[in-house]
Amino acid sequence: MALPLALDVAVTHLLGRKRQTVVSVLGVALGVGFFIAVAALMQGFQTYFRQTIIDVSPHVIVSDEFREPPVQPVESAYRGGAVDLRGLRPEDERRGIRDSRAIIDAIDRIPGAEVAATLSGQVVLRFGGTDEAATLIGIEPDREARVTTLAQDIEAGSLERLETTANGILLGRQLADTLGATLGDSLIAVTPAGVTRRVTVEGIFHTGIETLDSNVAYTLLKRAQVMQDRINVVNQIRLRLDDPNRAPEVAQRTEARFGYKAESWQETNQNIFQIFTIQNAIMYSIVGAILVVAAFGIFNVISTVIFEKTRDIAILKSIGLTEGDIRRIFLIEGLIAGMIGALLGWAVGYGLTEVLASIRFDFSADPEENRFHLDYSLLHYAIGGGFACAAAGLAAWLPARRAAKLNPVEIVRGAA
Amino acid sequence: MAPVLEARDVVRVLPGEVPVTLVAGITLSIGAGEFVAITGPSGSGKSSLLYLLGLLDRPTEGAVLVEGRDTGDLSAAEMARLRLEKLGFVFQFHFLLPEFSALANVLIPMRKLGRFGDAEMRDRALALLGRLGLEDQAHKRPDQLSGGQRQRVAIARALANDPKVVLADEPTGNLDTKNAQIVFDIFSGLARDSGTTVVTVTHDEHLAAQATRRVHLVDGRLVDGAAG
């Protein structure tokens, strides 16, 4: 007689409707299971994606742009609208970041920050009969290595060889494949400035980010400046921070101080993160819908039990059980179904996640890209279980309230 | 000494488009150890009066007193507590919980009351079943018992918490003559030997004659037996 009375009666009711109970419990289990698996998949993908961005790209990019068009001197001279200015032609400024040395020195003093300056511009690479437009980025190899993962991403050749060879260039793997070029090949590079140079492939890199691998070539900063005919000009300053989460703050400070647009990685990838938010909302809606359906199952079982057990309810009330006692009995029934469903759902979720983890694709040579990235988070189990119990409790509460209000006299009269 | 159960000018009207008067002003006082039979034609308000006396229903007017205490201002939960401690019900149909054994059914009121330990509750329940000649049936489920046995289990359950009053609504309506007599013998014994008040509704004149007092109702009014 270890069970309390309400629990004893509740368990008896559920055992009396085994099949229906099992079905509704399975409904909850599937809802929770799918939630856990899908959450692991999506969270895992998002975390992997985020981590890749954090690893590969700079955390803050200061570029030679301004968020607001610069105020022309004549506009500030005649502010207030007394004179209407028309046909104003802004001064044709040379593009690039002025005082880039001062900015780099200032950032170098921020603790936990690494900084590298680059000049990027367009180039056409020609090898054999193939022409490919690419972005040619001039870098300082030692600084670049500290700001991006370029050094680790080199598959063939090396970053240092840029400095030791005249006219060395690094190609993204897909770009190299498109051109048909391999290590040591000699290419012709043509810039919009009209400079044509012969360059040698000193390295091939693979970041895993398609736009980089198919579109970017690196060379020494000095060489890029000569090729673009922009001596001493830098158009991007890139930062890497020990703590990537500080990026927005550092970007804001840099921008406030120097005026140039400084974009954090969060801002650069804002669109993607917004998509993640939408993805998560869709996931929670779908799983919510599954659990609502499951909750209807529980609602159904408990309503049926109450309908069948009106006489029992009348007896229990005549014996002296209160409305609260009756409500508790049916609430417990719902919670039992919810909890068993949640426990089973955890097992289903774990199983599904394992299945997902074992799946391999044939997308690329990189094994990291040929599998799902899963995030095994206990939080997902807690959310799934909590949601299931809450849904089950609510589904039970509604009929339980009705059961508690049943008038024993009416039932006894009806039966007699 | 205050009467165990008392009704003072009790009226019960079922509300509706055409209100139905079930009990039309009854004053009744029942003392300890009395065995009262409420009789009357169908629709005379016998059962309605019993439910009012048993705190299952509330009067539209008037008052019901249990051991001298007015129950009019009690909450639903307080009424339930009073039923649990002082009253026991037996209905026409046995009304046992079908999945529970005879023993488990008898244990329900004690478990709710929570006054005794597990072992003591079990001993008391078995003793009660024994007193009603059911010692061998304790572990059977209601569907394995005969109609008479089920009604005796129901009586045992009504007696589980040593109630002051047992209220029975046509307890023999579904039984053969022999079993009906057994039930009435039990009631007589309860009133005589343990001082438990028994109030039963019946339309069986022969059985009603065995009660120590008869209350006759017609159209929701007492026509006989108001005095104790």
Side-chain angles (χ1 to χ4, degrees), chain A residues 311-312 314-315 318-319 412 415-416, chain B residues 89-100 105 141-158 169-175:
Chain A
R311 275 170 58 133
D312 291 17
I315 300 172
S318 75
I319 285 174
V412 173
Chain B
F89 283 92
V90 180
F91 296 102
Q92 175 174 5
F93 298 98
H94 60 85
F95 272 25
L96 300 175
L97 297 196
E99 299 90 349
F100 285 59
N105 265 287
R141 291 204 329 215
D143 57 6
Q144 297 166 312
L145 300 172
S146 73
Q149 288 171 328
R150 287 181 215 164
Q151 199 57 299
R152 276 182 279 155
V153 175
I155 295 170
R157 188 179 61 194
D169 187 10
E170 301 269 15
T172 59
N174 234 24
L175 300 178

mmCIF file of all heavy atoms in Angstrom, chain A residues 311-312 314-315 318-319 412 415-416, chain B residues 89-100 105 141-158 169-175:
data_model
loop_
_atom_site.group_PDB
_atom_site.id
_atom_site.type_symbol
_atom_site.label_atom_id
_atom_site.label_comp_id
_atom_site.label_asym_id
_atom_site.label_seq_id
_atom_site.Cartn_x
_atom_site.Cartn_y
_atom_site.Cartn_z
ATOM 1 N N ARG A 311 -19.230 7.043 -12.342
ATOM 2 C CA ARG A 311 -19.734 6.396 -11.121
ATOM 3 C C ARG A 311 -18.652 6.342 -10.059
ATOM 4 O O ARG A 311 -18.918 6.615 -8.884
ATOM 5 C CB ARG A 311 -20.217 4.976 -11.447
ATOM 6 C CG ARG A 311 -21.647 4.939 -11.955
ATOM 7 C CD ARG A 311 -21.969 3.571 -12.488
ATOM 8 N NE ARG A 311 -21.773 2.538 -11.471
ATOM 9 C CZ ARG A 311 -22.655 1.584 -11.224
ATOM 10 N NH1 ARG A 311 -23.795 1.534 -11.883
ATOM 11 N NH2 ARG A 311 -22.422 0.679 -10.310
ATOM 12 N N ASP A 312 -17.438 5.981 -10.488
ATOM 13 C CA ASP A 312 -16.329 5.946 -9.520
ATOM 14 C C ASP A 312 -16.111 7.314 -8.896
ATOM 15 O O ASP A 312 -15.846 7.432 -7.696
ATOM 16 C CB ASP A 312 -15.027 5.516 -10.214
ATOM 17 C CG ASP A 312 -15.063 4.065 -10.651
ATOM 18 O OD1 ASP A 312 -16.173 3.520 -10.709
ATOM 19 O OD2 ASP A 312 -13.988 3.501 -10.933
ATOM 20 N N ALA A 314 -18.342 9.610 -8.483
ATOM 21 C CA ALA A 314 -19.429 9.839 -7.522
ATOM 22 C C ALA A 314 -19.156 9.106 -6.212
ATOM 23 O O ALA A 314 -19.337 9.662 -5.124
ATOM 24 C CB ALA A 314 -20.750 9.364 -8.129
ATOM 25 N N ILE A 315 -18.688 7.857 -6.310
ATOM 26 C CA ILE A 315 -18.388 7.105 -5.085
ATOM 27 C C ILE A 315 -17.324 7.815 -4.281
ATOM 28 O O ILE A 315 -17.471 8.052 -3.080
ATOM 29 C CB ILE A 315 -17.802 5.711 -5.422
ATOM 30 C CG1 ILE A 315 -18.766 4.895 -6.247
ATOM 31 C CG2 ILE A 315 -17.428 4.970 -4.140
ATOM 32 C CD1 ILE A 315 -18.125 3.625 -6.750
ATOM 33 N N SER A 318 -18.624 10.805 -2.624
ATOM 34 C CA SER A 318 -19.530 10.511 -1.508
ATOM 35 C C SER A 318 -18.736 10.014 -0.304
ATOM 36 O O SER A 318 -19.080 10.287 0.832
ATOM 37 C CB SER A 318 -20.575 9.476 -1.934
ATOM 38 O OG SER A 318 -19.998 8.193 -2.007
ATOM 39 N N ILE A 319 -17.634 9.326 -0.569
ATOM 40 C CA ILE A 319 -16.798 8.857 0.539
ATOM 41 C C ILE A 319 -16.164 10.021 1.264
ATOM 42 O O ILE A 319 -15.929 9.974 2.470
ATOM 43 C CB ILE A 319 -15.694 7.908 -0.005
ATOM 44 C CG1 ILE A 319 -16.308 6.558 -0.357
ATOM 45 C CG2 ILE A 319 -14.583 7.728 1.011
ATOM 46 C CD1 ILE A 319 -15.334 5.622 -1.031
ATOM 47 N N VAL A 412 -25.624 9.557 -8.977
ATOM 48 C CA VAL A 412 -26.295 8.503 -8.225
ATOM 49 C C VAL A 412 -27.757 8.407 -8.646
ATOM 50 O O VAL A 412 -28.298 7.326 -8.856
ATOM 51 C CB VAL A 412 -26.181 8.783 -6.703
ATOM 52 C CG1 VAL A 412 -27.024 7.800 -5.927
ATOM 53 C CG2 VAL A 412 -24.730 8.704 -6.269
ATOM 54 N N ALA A 415 -28.054 6.736 -11.994
ATOM 55 C CA ALA A 415 -27.770 5.297 -11.989
ATOM 56 C C ALA A 415 -28.859 4.524 -11.267
ATOM 57 O O ALA A 415 -29.103 3.364 -11.568
ATOM 58 C CB ALA A 415 -26.423 5.052 -11.314
ATOM 59 N N ALA A 416 -29.526 5.165 -10.307
ATOM 60 C CA ALA A 416 -30.479 4.427 -9.479
ATOM 61 C C ALA A 416 -31.817 4.229 -10.197
ATOM 62 O O ALA A 416 -32.041 4.791 -11.236
ATOM 63 C CB ALA A 416 -30.699 5.160 -8.156
ATOM 64 N N PHE B 89 -21.756 5.946 3.204
ATOM 65 C CA PHE B 89 -22.855 5.778 2.255
ATOM 66 C C PHE B 89 -22.918 4.366 1.702
ATOM 67 O O PHE B 89 -21.901 3.733 1.434
ATOM 68 C CB PHE B 89 -22.695 6.735 1.069
ATOM 69 C CG PHE B 89 -23.083 8.144 1.408
ATOM 70 C CD1 PHE B 89 -22.139 9.044 1.864
ATOM 71 C CD2 PHE B 89 -24.404 8.546 1.286
ATOM 72 C CE1 PHE B 89 -22.501 10.333 2.183
ATOM 73 C CE2 PHE B 89 -24.769 9.832 1.603
ATOM 74 C CZ PHE B 89 -23.821 10.730 2.061
ATOM 75 N N VAL B 90 -24.166 3.892 1.499
ATOM 76 C CA VAL B 90 -24.397 2.651 0.763
ATOM 77 C C VAL B 90 -25.486 2.978 -0.260
ATOM 78 O O VAL B 90 -26.510 3.572 0.104
ATOM 79 C CB VAL B 90 -24.868 1.517 1.696
ATOM 80 C CG1 VAL B 90 -25.104 0.241 0.899
ATOM 81 C CG2 VAL B 90 -23.862 1.278 2.808
ATOM 82 N N PHE B 91 -25.205 2.636 -1.536
ATOM 83 C CA PHE B 91 -26.187 2.964 -2.574
ATOM 84 C C PHE B 91 -26.896 1.709 -3.059
ATOM 85 O O PHE B 91 -26.520 0.587 -2.720
ATOM 86 C CB PHE B 91 -25.499 3.672 -3.740
ATOM 87 C CG PHE B 91 -24.903 4.992 -3.353
ATOM 88 C CD1 PHE B 91 -23.532 5.122 -3.139
ATOM 89 C CD2 PHE B 91 -25.707 6.103 -3.177
ATOM 90 C CE1 PHE B 91 -22.991 6.340 -2.767
ATOM 91 C CE2 PHE B 91 -25.169 7.325 -2.796
ATOM 92 C CZ PHE B 91 -23.811 7.444 -2.593
ATOM 93 N N GLN B 92 -27.903 1.940 -3.908
ATOM 94 C CA GLN B 92 -28.685 0.792 -4.389
ATOM 95 C C GLN B 92 -27.794 -0.175 -5.170
ATOM 96 O O GLN B 92 -27.784 -1.362 -4.939
ATOM 97 C CB GLN B 92 -29.834 1.272 -5.278
ATOM 98 C CG GLN B 92 -30.595 0.117 -5.892
ATOM 99 C CD GLN B 92 -31.817 0.598 -6.660
ATOM 100 O OE1 GLN B 92 -32.045 1.784 -6.818
ATOM 101 N NE2 GLN B 92 -32.604 -0.350 -7.122
ATOM 102 N N PHE B 93 -27.047 0.396 -6.126
ATOM 103 C CA PHE B 93 -26.071 -0.428 -6.825
ATOM 104 C C PHE B 93 -24.807 -0.370 -6.001
ATOM 105 O O PHE B 93 -24.569 0.608 -5.302
ATOM 106 C CB PHE B 93 -25.883 0.094 -8.244
ATOM 107 C CG PHE B 93 -27.154 0.032 -9.039
ATOM 108 C CD1 PHE B 93 -27.952 1.144 -9.180
ATOM 109 C CD2 PHE B 93 -27.579 -1.185 -9.571
ATOM 110 C CE1 PHE B 93 -29.147 1.070 -9.879
ATOM 111 C CE2 PHE B 93 -28.774 -1.256 -10.278
ATOM 112 C CZ PHE B 93 -29.566 -0.133 -10.431
ATOM 113 N N HIS B 94 -24.045 -1.421 -6.068
ATOM 114 C CA HIS B 94 -22.959 -1.539 -5.087
ATOM 115 C C HIS B 94 -21.966 -0.388 -5.139
ATOM 116 O O HIS B 94 -21.438 0.043 -4.152
ATOM 117 C CB HIS B 94 -22.265 -2.880 -5.243
ATOM 118 C CG HIS B 94 -21.664 -3.054 -6.598
ATOM 119 N ND1 HIS B 94 -20.427 -2.575 -6.898
ATOM 120 C CD2 HIS B 94 -22.137 -3.643 -7.715
ATOM 121 C CE1 HIS B 94 -20.158 -2.859 -8.162
ATOM 122 N NE2 HIS B 94 -21.186 -3.506 -8.681
ATOM 123 N N PHE B 95 -21.678 0.140 -6.364
ATOM 124 C CA PHE B 95 -20.765 1.276 -6.468
ATOM 125 C C PHE B 95 -19.397 1.029 -5.839
ATOM 126 O O PHE B 95 -18.867 1.880 -5.132
ATOM 127 C CB PHE B 95 -21.390 2.521 -5.828
ATOM 128 C CG PHE B 95 -22.241 3.304 -6.789
ATOM 129 C CD1 PHE B 95 -22.834 2.687 -7.890
ATOM 130 C CD2 PHE B 95 -22.449 4.661 -6.616
ATOM 131 C CE1 PHE B 95 -23.622 3.422 -8.775
ATOM 132 C CE2 PHE B 95 -23.237 5.395 -7.503
ATOM 133 C CZ PHE B 95 -23.825 4.763 -8.576
ATOM 134 N N LEU B 96 -18.842 -0.137 -6.122
ATOM 135 C CA LEU B 96 -17.443 -0.365 -5.719
ATOM 136 C C LEU B 96 -16.554 0.030 -6.899
ATOM 137 O O LEU B 96 -17.003 0.045 -8.044
ATOM 138 C CB LEU B 96 -17.215 -1.839 -5.396
ATOM 139 C CG LEU B 96 -18.062 -2.412 -4.266
ATOM 140 C CD1 LEU B 96 -17.835 -3.909 -4.135
ATOM 141 C CD2 LEU B 96 -17.762 -1.709 -2.957
ATOM 142 N N LEU B 97 -15.280 0.346 -6.626
ATOM 143 C CA LEU B 97 -14.362 0.593 -7.723
ATOM 144 C C LEU B 97 -14.028 -0.763 -8.337
ATOM 145 O O LEU B 97 -13.494 -1.627 -7.655
ATOM 146 C CB LEU B 97 -13.076 1.281 -7.254
ATOM 147 C CG LEU B 97 -13.205 2.677 -6.655
ATOM 148 C CD1 LEU B 97 -11.834 3.348 -6.606
ATOM 149 C CD2 LEU B 97 -14.168 3.554 -7.419
ATOM 150 N N PRO B 98 -14.354 -0.958 -9.625
ATOM 151 C CA PRO B 98 -14.293 -2.301 -10.202
ATOM 152 C C PRO B 98 -12.890 -2.899 -10.276
ATOM 153 O O PRO B 98 -12.747 -4.113 -10.233
ATOM 154 C CB PRO B 98 -14.879 -2.120 -11.611
ATOM 155 C CG PRO B 98 -14.816 -0.667 -11.892
ATOM 156 C CD PRO B 98 -14.875 0.028 -10.575
ATOM 157 N N GLU B 99 -11.861 -2.051 -10.385
ATOM 158 C CA GLU B 99 -10.503 -2.607 -10.528
ATOM 159 C C GLU B 99 -9.877 -2.936 -9.181
ATOM 160 O O GLU B 99 -8.808 -3.554 -9.136
ATOM 161 C CB GLU B 99 -9.582 -1.617 -11.248
ATOM 162 C CG GLU B 99 -9.993 -1.243 -12.652
ATOM 163 C CD GLU B 99 -10.900 -0.030 -12.690
ATOM 164 O OE1 GLU B 99 -11.373 0.396 -11.609
ATOM 165 O OE2 GLU B 99 -11.161 0.486 -13.787
ATOM 166 N N PHE B 100 -10.509 -2.502 -8.108
ATOM 167 C CA PHE B 100 -9.918 -2.691 -6.787
ATOM 168 C C PHE B 100 -10.551 -3.903 -6.112
ATOM 169 O O PHE B 100 -11.743 -4.164 -6.261
ATOM 170 C CB PHE B 100 -10.153 -1.443 -5.920
ATOM 171 C CG PHE B 100 -9.281 -0.282 -6.272
ATOM 172 C CD1 PHE B 100 -9.316 0.272 -7.542
ATOM 173 C CD2 PHE B 100 -8.397 0.252 -5.350
ATOM 174 C CE1 PHE B 100 -8.501 1.340 -7.882
ATOM 175 C CE2 PHE B 100 -7.584 1.321 -5.676
ATOM 176 C CZ PHE B 100 -7.630 1.871 -6.945
ATOM 177 N N ASN B 105 -11.097 -1.682 -1.744
ATOM 178 C CA ASN B 105 -12.257 -0.785 -1.698
ATOM 179 C C ASN B 105 -12.528 -0.320 -0.272
ATOM 180 O O ASN B 105 -12.833 0.850 -0.047
ATOM 181 C CB ASN B 105 -13.487 -1.491 -2.264
ATOM 182 C CG ASN B 105 -13.700 -1.172 -3.740
ATOM 183 O OD1 ASN B 105 -14.103 -0.072 -4.082
ATOM 184 N ND2 ASN B 105 -13.402 -2.133 -4.599
ATOM 185 N N ARG B 141 -12.029 -9.354 -6.757
ATOM 186 C CA ARG B 141 -12.518 -8.104 -7.328
ATOM 187 C C ARG B 141 -14.045 -8.150 -7.367
ATOM 188 O O ARG B 141 -14.645 -9.212 -7.361
ATOM 189 C CB ARG B 141 -11.950 -7.922 -8.724
ATOM 190 C CG ARG B 141 -10.462 -7.647 -8.721
ATOM 191 C CD ARG B 141 -10.069 -6.924 -9.983
ATOM 192 N NE ARG B 141 -10.945 -7.319 -11.078
ATOM 193 C CZ ARG B 141 -10.543 -7.445 -12.335
ATOM 194 N NH1 ARG B 141 -9.302 -7.233 -12.634
ATOM 195 N NH2 ARG B 141 -11.395 -7.791 -13.275
ATOM 196 N N PRO B 142 -14.705 -6.983 -7.422
ATOM 197 C CA PRO B 142 -16.170 -6.950 -7.367
ATOM 198 C C PRO B 142 -16.843 -7.887 -8.374
ATOM 199 O O PRO B 142 -17.867 -8.502 -8.049
ATOM 200 C CB PRO B 142 -16.491 -5.491 -7.677
ATOM 201 C CG PRO B 142 -15.309 -4.743 -7.177
ATOM 202 C CD PRO B 142 -14.130 -5.635 -7.399
ATOM 203 N N ASP B 143 -16.262 -8.000 -9.582
ATOM 204 C CA ASP B 143 -16.946 -8.849 -10.566
ATOM 205 C C ASP B 143 -16.835 -10.337 -10.240
ATOM 206 O O ASP B 143 -17.445 -11.169 -10.906
ATOM 207 C CB ASP B 143 -16.454 -8.543 -11.986
ATOM 208 C CG ASP B 143 -14.953 -8.713 -12.130
ATOM 209 O OD1 ASP B 143 -14.307 -9.172 -11.160
ATOM 210 O OD2 ASP B 143 -14.419 -8.375 -13.205
ATOM 211 N N GLN B 144 -16.038 -10.674 -9.227
ATOM 212 C CA GLN B 144 -15.947 -12.080 -8.808
ATOM 213 C C GLN B 144 -16.849 -12.355 -7.613
ATOM 214 O O GLN B 144 -16.853 -13.466 -7.087
ATOM 215 C CB GLN B 144 -14.493 -12.416 -8.438
ATOM 216 C CG GLN B 144 -13.538 -12.276 -9.624
ATOM 217 C CD GLN B 144 -12.085 -12.266 -9.186
ATOM 218 O OE1 GLN B 144 -11.710 -11.549 -8.260
ATOM 219 N NE2 GLN B 144 -11.274 -13.079 -9.844
ATOM 220 N N LEU B 145 -17.593 -11.330 -7.180
ATOM 221 C CA LEU B 145 -18.462 -11.493 -6.010
ATOM 222 C C LEU B 145 -19.925 -11.505 -6.443
ATOM 223 O O LEU B 145 -20.281 -10.958 -7.489
ATOM 224 C CB LEU B 145 -18.240 -10.328 -5.042
ATOM 225 C CG LEU B 145 -16.822 -10.149 -4.484
ATOM 226 C CD1 LEU B 145 -16.736 -8.854 -3.699
ATOM 227 C CD2 LEU B 145 -16.439 -11.331 -3.608
ATOM 228 N N SER B 146 -20.769 -12.091 -5.594
ATOM 229 C CA SER B 146 -22.209 -12.055 -5.860
ATOM 230 C C SER B 146 -22.770 -10.694 -5.467
ATOM 231 O O SER B 146 -22.092 -9.911 -4.798
ATOM 232 C CB SER B 146 -22.901 -13.138 -5.035
ATOM 233 O OG SER B 146 -22.925 -12.745 -3.673
ATOM 234 N N GLY B 147 -24.003 -10.416 -5.894
ATOM 235 C CA GLY B 147 -24.615 -9.128 -5.595
ATOM 236 C C GLY B 147 -24.677 -8.851 -4.099
ATOM 237 O O GLY B 147 -24.363 -7.749 -3.652
ATOM 238 N N GLY B 148 -25.060 -9.857 -3.329
ATOM 239 C CA GLY B 148 -25.158 -9.678 -1.879
ATOM 240 C C GLY B 148 -23.800 -9.413 -1.254
ATOM 241 O O GLY B 148 -23.668 -8.566 -0.373
ATOM 242 N N GLN B 149 -22.788 -10.141 -1.755
ATOM 243 C CA GLN B 149 -21.441 -9.941 -1.218
ATOM 244 C C GLN B 149 -20.939 -8.541 -1.523
ATOM 245 O O GLN B 149 -20.341 -7.871 -0.675
ATOM 246 C CB GLN B 149 -20.486 -10.978 -1.821
ATOM 247 C CG GLN B 149 -20.724 -12.378 -1.274
ATOM 248 C CD GLN B 149 -19.914 -13.422 -2.037
ATOM 249 O OE1 GLN B 149 -19.657 -13.283 -3.231
ATOM 250 N NE2 GLN B 149 -19.510 -14.479 -1.334
ATOM 251 N N ARG B 150 -21.220 -8.068 -2.746
ATOM 252 C CA ARG B 150 -20.779 -6.723 -3.125
ATOM 253 C C ARG B 150 -21.401 -5.673 -2.215
ATOM 254 O O ARG B 150 -20.736 -4.751 -1.771
ATOM 255 C CB ARG B 150 -21.195 -6.407 -4.561
ATOM 256 C CG ARG B 150 -20.389 -7.140 -5.592
ATOM 257 C CD ARG B 150 -20.869 -6.728 -6.965
ATOM 258 N NE ARG B 150 -20.803 -7.851 -7.882
ATOM 259 C CZ ARG B 150 -21.422 -7.898 -9.048
ATOM 260 N NH1 ARG B 150 -22.189 -6.889 -9.424
ATOM 261 N NH2 ARG B 150 -21.296 -8.935 -9.823
ATOM 262 N N GLN B 151 -22.722 -5.873 -1.931
ATOM 263 C CA GLN B 151 -23.380 -4.878 -1.085
ATOM 264 C C GLN B 151 -22.792 -4.906 0.320
ATOM 265 O O GLN B 151 -22.669 -3.863 0.960
ATOM 266 C CB GLN B 151 -24.897 -5.139 -1.078
ATOM 267 C CG GLN B 151 -25.741 -3.957 -0.643
ATOM 268 C CD GLN B 151 -25.512 -2.700 -1.478
ATOM 269 O OE1 GLN B 151 -24.414 -2.166 -1.532
ATOM 270 N NE2 GLN B 151 -26.573 -2.218 -2.115
ATOM 271 N N ARG B 152 -22.376 -6.080 0.767
ATOM 272 C CA ARG B 152 -21.762 -6.148 2.100
ATOM 273 C C ARG B 152 -20.374 -5.487 2.081
ATOM 274 O O ARG B 152 -19.973 -4.846 3.055
ATOM 275 C CB ARG B 152 -21.662 -7.603 2.569
ATOM 276 C CG ARG B 152 -22.975 -8.059 3.216
ATOM 277 C CD ARG B 152 -22.881 -9.460 3.736
ATOM 278 N NE ARG B 152 -23.063 -10.437 2.661
ATOM 279 C CZ ARG B 152 -22.575 -11.682 2.698
ATOM 280 N NH1 ARG B 152 -21.877 -12.090 3.733
ATOM 281 N NH2 ARG B 152 -22.786 -12.501 1.694
ATOM 282 N N VAL B 153 -19.634 -5.640 0.951
ATOM 283 C CA VAL B 153 -18.354 -4.920 0.846
ATOM 284 C C VAL B 153 -18.617 -3.416 0.914
ATOM 285 O O VAL B 153 -17.901 -2.680 1.603
ATOM 286 C CB VAL B 153 -17.615 -5.278 -0.465
ATOM 287 C CG1 VAL B 153 -16.364 -4.421 -0.611
ATOM 288 C CG2 VAL B 153 -17.267 -6.753 -0.500
ATOM 289 N N ALA B 154 -19.671 -2.977 0.215
ATOM 290 C CA ALA B 154 -20.005 -1.548 0.236
ATOM 291 C C ALA B 154 -20.319 -1.087 1.657
ATOM 292 O O ALA B 154 -19.932 0.015 2.065
ATOM 293 C CB ALA B 154 -21.176 -1.266 -0.697
ATOM 294 N N ILE B 155 -21.013 -1.958 2.433
ATOM 295 C CA ILE B 155 -21.310 -1.593 3.833
ATOM 296 C C ILE B 155 -20.016 -1.523 4.633
ATOM 297 O O ILE B 155 -19.790 -0.592 5.419
ATOM 298 C CB ILE B 155 -22.294 -2.615 4.454
ATOM 299 C CG1 ILE B 155 -23.646 -2.522 3.729
ATOM 300 C CG2 ILE B 155 -22.460 -2.352 5.946
ATOM 301 C CD1 ILE B 155 -24.614 -3.643 4.093
ATOM 302 N N ALA B 156 -19.137 -2.507 4.395
ATOM 303 C CA ALA B 156 -17.852 -2.492 5.100
ATOM 304 C C ALA B 156 -17.102 -1.206 4.801
ATOM 305 O O ALA B 156 -16.498 -0.599 5.689
ATOM 306 C CB ALA B 156 -17.012 -3.698 4.674
ATOM 307 N N ARG B 157 -17.153 -0.767 3.527
ATOM 308 C CA ARG B 157 -16.470 0.477 3.157
ATOM 309 C C ARG B 157 -17.120 1.669 3.858
ATOM 310 O O ARG B 157 -16.430 2.571 4.334
ATOM 311 C CB ARG B 157 -16.515 0.673 1.644
ATOM 312 C CG ARG B 157 -15.660 1.846 1.194
ATOM 313 C CD ARG B 157 -15.686 2.008 -0.298
ATOM 314 N NE ARG B 157 -17.022 2.276 -0.782
ATOM 315 C CZ ARG B 157 -17.388 2.209 -2.052
ATOM 316 N NH1 ARG B 157 -16.509 1.848 -2.979
ATOM 317 N NH2 ARG B 157 -18.616 2.470 -2.412
ATOM 318 N N ALA B 158 -18.459 1.652 3.953
ATOM 319 C CA ALA B 158 -19.161 2.747 4.624
ATOM 320 C C ALA B 158 -18.769 2.815 6.099
ATOM 321 O O ALA B 158 -18.765 3.883 6.706
ATOM 322 C CB ALA B 158 -20.666 2.572 4.476
ATOM 323 N N ASP B 169 -29.194 4.210 0.488
ATOM 324 C CA ASP B 169 -30.241 4.579 -0.454
ATOM 325 C C ASP B 169 -30.717 3.316 -1.165
ATOM 326 O O ASP B 169 -30.010 2.804 -2.027
ATOM 327 C CB ASP B 169 -29.660 5.591 -1.451
ATOM 328 C CG ASP B 169 -30.735 6.168 -2.368
ATOM 329 O OD1 ASP B 169 -31.927 5.927 -2.107
ATOM 330 O OD2 ASP B 169 -30.366 6.840 -3.343
ATOM 331 N N GLU B 170 -31.860 2.819 -0.785
ATOM 332 C CA GLU B 170 -32.396 1.572 -1.370
ATOM 333 C C GLU B 170 -31.337 0.473 -1.400
ATOM 334 O O GLU B 170 -31.066 -0.086 -2.450
ATOM 335 C CB GLU B 170 -32.881 1.825 -2.810
ATOM 336 C CG GLU B 170 -33.952 2.887 -2.921
ATOM 337 C CD GLU B 170 -35.366 2.332 -2.829
ATOM 338 O OE1 GLU B 170 -35.501 1.161 -2.389
ATOM 339 O OE2 GLU B 170 -36.313 3.054 -3.154
ATOM 340 N N PRO B 171 -30.716 0.171 -0.267
ATOM 341 C CA PRO B 171 -29.574 -0.749 -0.293
ATOM 342 C C PRO B 171 -29.979 -2.165 -0.719
ATOM 343 O O PRO B 171 -29.131 -2.941 -1.147
ATOM 344 C CB PRO B 171 -29.067 -0.736 1.139
ATOM 345 C CG PRO B 171 -30.258 -0.374 1.950
ATOM 346 C CD PRO B 171 -31.066 0.566 1.113
ATOM 347 N N THR B 172 -31.261 -2.462 -0.600
ATOM 348 C CA THR B 172 -31.689 -3.830 -0.914
ATOM 349 C C THR B 172 -32.456 -3.895 -2.218
ATOM 350 O O THR B 172 -32.932 -4.942 -2.629
ATOM 351 C CB THR B 172 -32.598 -4.372 0.216
ATOM 352 O OG1 THR B 172 -33.730 -3.490 0.327
ATOM 353 C CG2 THR B 172 -31.867 -4.397 1.535
ATOM 354 N N GLY B 173 -32.529 -2.737 -2.909
ATOM 355 C CA GLY B 173 -33.338 -2.663 -4.120
ATOM 356 C C GLY B 173 -32.922 -3.651 -5.184
ATOM 357 O O GLY B 173 -33.708 -4.046 -6.031
ATOM 358 N N ASN B 174 -31.674 -4.055 -5.116
ATOM 359 C CA ASN B 174 -31.151 -4.908 -6.162
ATOM 360 C C ASN B 174 -30.895 -6.336 -5.678
ATOM 361 O O ASN B 174 -30.270 -7.117 -6.380
ATOM 362 C CB ASN B 174 -29.842 -4.304 -6.650
ATOM 363 C CG ASN B 174 -29.854 -4.103 -8.138
ATOM 364 O OD1 ASN B 174 -30.924 -3.984 -8.714
ATOM 365 N ND2 ASN B 174 -28.689 -4.081 -8.740
ATOM 366 N N LEU B 175 -31.339 -6.627 -4.458
ATOM 367 C CA LEU B 175 -30.993 -7.919 -3.848
ATOM 368 C C LEU B 175 -32.229 -8.809 -3.728
ATOM 369 O O LEU B 175 -33.353 -8.328 -3.670
ATOM 370 C CB LEU B 175 -30.396 -7.697 -2.455
ATOM 371 C CG LEU B 175 -29.124 -6.849 -2.396
ATOM 372 C CD1 LEU B 175 -28.687 -6.693 -0.944
ATOM 373 C CD2 LEU B 175 -28.013 -7.463 -3.231
#
